[in-house]
Amino acid sequence: MSAKSVKRYSCIFLALLLILFVKHLPLPTGMKPLGMNVIGIFLGSLLLWLTVAIDWPSLLCITAIGLIPEIGFKNVFLSSFGNDTFAFLMCTFLCTYVLAETPFLKRCAVSFITSPIAKKGPWLFVISFISAIIFIGCFVSPSVLFVVFLPILEKINEILGLKKGDKIGKMLMISLAFCVSVAAGMTPIAHVFSIMAMGFYATATGLTIGYAEYMAFAVPVGIICTIFLILIFRFILNPDMTKIKNIDVSALKNEIKPMEKKEKAILGVFCIIVALWVLPSILKPYFPIICKKISTMGTAMPPMLGVICYSIMSFDEKPVLNFAEGMRKGVQWSSIIMAAGTLALGSAMTNQHVGLAQYLVETLNPILKEVSPMLLVLIFTLWACIQTNFSSNMVTVTVVTTVAIPLVQATNGAVSAPAIVSIIGMMSAFAFATPPAMPHIAIAIGSEWVESTDMFKYGFIFMIVAVIVTIFVGYPIASILM
């Protein structure tokens, strides 16, 4: 048996021990037996998520929680597969798959980098390139965004005559990798981590965080962080931009055909989906009855409506969405299964019968009275930022949010719980320093345009920037709006 197999089976064995036997350990004062049971499941699942896989361990987690008599399988299925977050993710993946199959995303990207502004100078070209990533990334998943932009970047490098090792090529690849992650944290549209955080908050408190409220703080944070990223490139990386002084990538326009009816129809439906997510929060003061009805339908309704429309619409006697093919190619099932597992775990940890949330509040409330509110904001922001850069983003949002909600609630309003939860969701996407942070970071390093040491160096600097901007800009805005 290979060393890799020994490590895998050792982790599985240890995880099963935690799930089965932690509940038999002596109880801390004030903790219920069910609390230790759930802690064991949490620790065992966390170990498997970090070392083995994210899909089947999530099913093991759901099964273990379902075996707790006080919770049962009916309730655990309702809080996992029956949760609207599960339906939201599945339908959103299908809708973004349809959009990604059109030339629209590439059309947007090329329009940015071939604009008159981009032609006025090398740094304006870089800013246009970054702006394209950020803008498009607000509406599509990180994996789709990176796959769309990577061939465009390769073509740009070819036109510019850049070679691997050149600072400009390195800067452009870091820009792509970092900005894909930043954009993933700026909106909940087609992005898993912020939606999971919002789902945990709704499960724990019965309250919701609106899309517009989330974006009102996350978009400014993302834009400010991006500005600082450009300054980092200008004054720290400091590439010789004379190589691309007379840049012209207009040839990329020739590869894109004029927009056809099919693309326009797909884009129109997608715009309606986004509007149904965002507008109710914005227009609530003006149309309270209509907006309330739309909001009560939940976040899963708009993409589900989109899937139905795409399935009905047909061009050249073929439906826009081949449902079977979309489910096979467009849906990231590992992420969805893990989302189900983490939702079930979060529900179990906040369950009144389990008593973990109450135990944490009673135990830590005396300590929290002595802690500065801003220190607590710093702790959770920094924790989420560091963990997401070295482990799974979904594990980060699950662990940090589950711990944060009861602790922040124990401050009796001194720290805004929805603001902290939203920050954790955003920071869980801000992953760019190491290969485990996100798949596209590993791909960027594997491209050989940037080395892992450079990714870590600039990723670490950018982590510090993101934390500072979030604490001093993001949290004040979020705490006022939520």
Side-chain angles (χ1 to χ4, degrees):
M1 187 179 294
S2 66
K4 185 177 180 181
S5 295
V6 171
K7 180 183 177 182
R8 180 176 183 272
Y9 285 114
S10 298
C11 291
I12 293 173
F13 178 72
L14 180 56
L16 291 174
L17 285 179
L18 291 169
I19 292 172
L20 295 173
F21 295 110
V22 164
K23 61 185 176 183
H24 298 298
L25 295 176
L27 294 174
T29 304
M31 182 179 285
K32 296 180 180 180
L34 283 181
M36 286 298 288
N37 196 347
V38 172
I39 286 176
I41 296 171
F42 169 73
L43 294 175
S45 301
L46 181 61
L47 176 62
L48 292 174
W49 284 330
L50 293 175
T51 60
V52 179
I54 64 172
D55 37 32
W56 70 261
S58 299
L59 295 177
L60 174 63
C61 173
I62 293 170
T63 303
I65 294 171
L67 290 171
I68 300 174
E70 289 80 359
I71 297 178
F73 279 97
K74 183 177 180 179
N75 288 325
V76 80
F77 287 148
L78 285 173
S79 63
S80 56
F81 298 110
N83 191 289
D84 63 350
T85 302
F86 184 91
F88 164 85
L89 292 174
M90 184 181 72
C91 293
T92 301
F93 280 138
L94 286 170
C95 290
T96 53
Y97 166 75
V98 171
L99 187 64
E101 289 292 295
T102 71
F104 176 73
L105 299 181
K106 186 176 181 180
R107 189 187 308 281
C108 286
V110 171
S111 66
F112 270 92
I113 61 178
T114 58
S115 66
I117 294 176
K119 295 177 182 178
K120 289 185 177 180
W123 280 109
L124 287 174
F125 172 80
V126 172
I127 291 171
S128 298
F129 177 71
I130 289 174
S131 299
I133 301 167
I134 292 294
F135 175 76
I136 300 172
C138 286
F139 306 99
V140 298
S141 68
S143 55
V144 170
L145 181 64
F146 191 82
V147 168
V148 167
F149 266 89
L150 188 58
I152 295 174
L153 179 56
E154 293 287 354
K155 189 68 176 179
I156 290 172
N157 291 336
E158 180 185 330
I159 292 172
L160 298 178
L162 298 177
K163 298 179 180 179
K164 292 180 179 180
D166 288 348
K167 278 192 174 183
I168 295 175
K170 181 186 299 183
M171 176 181 65
L172 292 175
M173 182 58 75
I174 293 175
S175 300
L176 175 57
F178 285 16
C179 291
V180 165
S181 297
V182 171
M186 289 172 63
T187 74
I189 300 168
H191 300 135
V192 178
F193 318 119
S194 51
I195 285 296
M196 286 181 63
M198 294 160 73
F200 289 139
Y201 180 73
T203 300
T205 65
L207 304 173
T208 58
I209 299 171
Y211 275 45
E213 295 164 340
Y214 178 94
M215 292 167 62
F217 96 89
V219 169
V221 168
I223 292 172
I224 294 171
C225 287
T226 305
I227 292 171
F228 275 106
L229 179 62
I230 296 169
L231 295 176
I232 290 170
F233 290 148
R234 175 64 183 85
F235 296 105
I236 299 179
L237 180 61
N238 192 25
D240 181 8
M241 301 298 281
T242 56
K243 292 184 178 180
I244 58 171
K245 188 175 182 180
N246 299 314
I247 185 170
D248 186 5
V249 292
S250 300
L252 291 172
K253 285 185 176 180
N254 299 330
E255 300 177 6
I256 301 177
K257 298 178 181 178
M259 188 178 287
E260 298 178 349
K261 289 182 179 180
K262 179 180 178 180
E263 184 180 345
K264 292 178 181 178
I266 291 172
L267 180 60
V269 172
F270 196 83
C271 289
I272 293 171
I273 294 169
V274 174
L276 289 172
W277 275 328
V278 178
L279 291 183
S281 299
I282 299 174
L283 301 179
K284 190 176 180 180
Y286 309 103
F287 306 99
I289 297 175
I290 297 174
C291 291
K292 185 178 180 180
K293 285 184 178 180
I294 295 174
S295 298
T296 53
M297 294 178 187
T299 57
M301 181 276 292
M304 191 172 290
L305 183 64
V307 169
I308 295 170
C309 289
Y310 287 143
S311 300
I312 293 173
M313 293 163 52
S314 64
F315 290 86
D316 299 325
E317 298 184 358
K318 292 182 180 180
V320 169
L321 172 61
N322 182 318
F323 196 83
E325 183 179 294
M327 292 290 278
R328 186 174 68 254
K329 294 182 179 179
V331 179
Q332 299 175 23
W333 284 107
S334 293
S335 297
I336 289 184
I337 295 299
M338 185 178 179
T342 54
L343 287 166
L345 188 58
S347 178
M349 295 184 81
T350 55
N351 189 294
Q352 290 184 350
H353 295 294
V354 174
L356 267 179
Q358 183 181 356
Y359 169 76
L360 287 173
V361 170
E362 292 176 352
T363 304
L364 297 174
N365 196 31
I367 302 173
L368 293 177
K369 288 180 179 179
E370 306 299 325
V371 176
S372 163
M374 288 309 295
L375 179 59
L376 206 58
V377 174
L378 171 62
I379 289 171
F380 286 117
T381 304
L382 193 60
W383 179 4
C385 186
I386 292 173
Q387 182 173 335
T388 198
N389 275 281
F390 292 92
S391 69
S392 164
N393 319 85
M394 298 179 76
V395 172
T396 298
V397 72
T398 302
V399 173
V400 185
T401 305
T402 303
V403 174
I405 290 174
L407 295 188
V408 172
Q409 286 179 321
T411 64
N412 296 318
V415 178
S416 169
I420 289 293
V421 168
S422 298
I423 284 172
I424 294 169
M426 180 186 71
M427 295 306 293
S428 295
F430 279 29
F432 24 69
T434 67
M438 272 195 181
H440 67 264
I441 301 298
I443 297 172
I445 294 172
S447 71
E448 298 181 359
W449 283 100
V450 58
E451 296 179 0
S452 58
T453 52
D454 292 315
M455 193 68 81
F456 182 80
K457 173 185 174 181
Y458 293 104
F460 182 76
I461 296 171
F462 199 39
M463 282 168 59
I464 296 172
V465 170
V467 170
I468 293 172
V469 172
T470 299
I471 292 171
F472 292 104
V473 178
Y475 177 75
I477 296 174
S479 61
I480 291 171
L481 297 176
M482 300 180 184

